[in-house]
Amino acid sequence: MLLNSTDDLLCGVVYIPPEGSRYASPDCFIEIEQELINITNESKCFCLMGDFNARVGHLNDFFISDDFLAHLNGCTDIFQPDIVERALVFESYNIPLKRIVQDTIVNNYGYKLIEFCKNNEVYIVNGRFGSDKNIGGTTCKNSSTVDYVLATTNVFRILQNFDVTDFCNFYSDVHNPISFSFSYCNKEPTHSCIGENHPSVKLWCPGKADDFCNNIDRSAVISIDNKLHDLSMLGENISRSHITNITRELCDVFSGAARITFGLKYNKNFSSDNTNTMNKKPWFNGECRAARKNFHLRQP
């Protein structure tokens, strides 16, 4: 059981034979998905790990709603809240939505794995956590990434580390070991904009781009420019704290202009137990999953 949670943490080990081999199955991901639907009636907190023989490159493992189609089908109010909530969850745990990868090739199993992730709201941990964050190291023959850990957002609060370690022929003939761990205590979000009654800036509006530029604090920009000039005189003596301070001031300039231009909103009370809220609703069954999948498949 997870501490302070009513859910069990379910873990599954996966091995999918290479495509084209005598043991390959064209329905391998469908079979895993069906099994996942059956067991996640008991818990929405799970992760899958293993050799998927899938290369996903830079493909997104999440849906990006097409505003035109969503409006055309009257689904804006259904999907937009989930997209906003997903962004808040990733931001609260300081996890990048976009993965950095070294293996940019996509194979057929890669497309199927991405579809599997989208349909079941699970996310690729590789390239997002621990020492592999913003690296996306290869896991096979130093040239491809085929081994993954997939997890629901509920797992983010207890996932402590993730690393693609050096190759060792004691463990495998060609694969790098993946090391990750869970914490015994819940790691709650610490981002200030996620808590109850804490304001956050409203979403970007393209129509107000000129207003945003006009609302930038020019005096702050001049101050930053002067500091950059002073730092340029330090040469190799520039430290990480110098860069951090300049970056923080730049962020303050942009966030200040955004607050003035787009205004603030107050988020509903958010906690890690609220992740995957749609899946926790009693009416969201297999039929609903199929309907959502069909809707997304119609998008380009």
Side-chain angles (χ1 to χ4, degrees):
M1 294 287 291
L2 293 178
L3 298 180
N4 301 325
S5 175
T6 57
D7 277 342
D8 290 318
L9 171 60
L10 303 179
C11 297
V13 179
V14 176
Y15 173 71
I16 297 179
E19 187 177 16
S21 69
R22 60 182 297 185
Y23 302 106
S25 169
D27 300 325
C28 53
F29 286 94
I30 296 177
E31 294 169 359
I32 297 175
E33 183 172 5
Q34 186 58 54
E35 186 67 22
L36 200 60
I37 292 174
N38 293 335
I39 64 174
T40 51
N41 289 329
E42 304 172 5
S43 175
K44 307 302 179 186
C45 188
F46 62 89
C47 68
L48 300 176
M49 64 201 80
D51 180 3
F52 291 80
N53 273 301
R55 303 175 71 176
V56 300
H58 287 103
L59 294 178
N60 291 326
D61 53 356
F62 53 88
F63 279 113
I64 300 177
S65 177
D66 186 296
D67 293 337
F68 173 76
L69 289 179
H71 178 75
L72 187 65
N73 290 276
C75 299
T76 303
D77 295 337
I78 296 177
F79 294 100
Q80 188 61 28
D82 291 332
I83 294 174
V84 173
E85 180 180 302
R86 178 184 64 206
L88 289 174
V89 171
F90 273 73
E91 182 182 4
S92 68
Y93 291 106
N94 193 27
I95 301 170
L97 265 176
K98 294 288 187 179
R99 295 175 299 107
I100 303 298
V101 299
Q102 295 183 22
D103 179 14
T104 59
I105 295 176
V106 182
N107 63 7
N108 186 46
Y109 274 4
Y111 288 109
K112 291 185 177 182
L113 176 58
I114 290 299
E115 182 181 357
F116 171 85
C117 291
K118 291 179 177 180
N119 292 340
N120 296 281
E121 291 186 293
V122 294
Y123 301 92
I124 297 173
V125 176
N126 304 52
R128 285 185 169 130
F129 268 94
S131 58
D132 193 49
K133 182 177 180 179
N134 295 326
I135 295 178
T138 56
T139 66
C140 183
K141 298 180 180 180
N142 291 323
S143 62
S144 63
T145 301
V146 294
D147 308 278
Y148 302 93
V149 173
L150 313 179
T152 58
T153 53
N154 309 68
V155 178
F156 291 171
R157 70 183 187 273
I158 61 171
L159 188 59
Q160 191 172 29
N161 187 39
F162 182 92
D163 183 29
V164 179
T165 62
D166 294 334
F167 171 76
C168 177
N169 56 15
F170 179 79
Y171 296 106
S172 173
D173 55 345
V174 293
H175 294 267
N176 292 55
I178 289 180
S179 171
F180 64 99
S181 59
F182 298 113
S183 62
Y184 286 100
C185 297
N186 284 333
K187 182 175 61 177
E188 297 296 344
T190 57
H191 199 283
S192 59
C193 73
I194 305 300
E196 182 177 9
N197 292 328
H198 286 153
S200 61
V201 179
K202 292 182 179 179
L203 297 179
W204 173 269
C205 176
K208 295 184 177 181
D210 291 337
D211 293 335
F212 175 81
C213 294
N214 293 330
N215 287 327
I216 290 178
D217 187 345
R218 306 296 175 184
S219 61
V221 174
I222 294 174
S223 175
I224 293 173
D225 183 61
N226 291 334
K227 291 180 180 179
L228 287 173
H229 178 268
D230 294 339
L231 288 178
S232 66
M233 307 298 293
L234 296 178
E236 296 182 355
N237 294 322
I238 296 178
S239 66
R240 178 175 296 182
S241 62
H242 288 137
I243 299 175
T244 299
N245 292 334
I246 290 293
T247 303
R248 183 178 295 113
E249 291 186 31
L250 280 172
C251 290
D252 290 341
V253 169
F254 290 133
S255 62
R259 286 171 178 265
I260 297 173
T261 307
F262 309 117
L264 301 176
K265 65 178 180 179
Y266 288 82
N267 300 297
K268 297 180 180 179
N269 187 29
F270 177 88
S271 70
S272 55
D273 287 335
N274 288 336
T275 54
N276 284 354
T277 51
M278 177 177 285
N279 282 349
K280 289 187 176 182
K281 295 179 180 179
W283 52 264
F284 194 76
N285 53 22
E287 184 178 352
C288 292
R289 284 178 179 271
R292 182 181 64 183
K293 177 179 179 180
N294 290 333
F295 171 80
H296 286 306
L297 289 175
R298 292 191 180 97
Q299 300 193 58

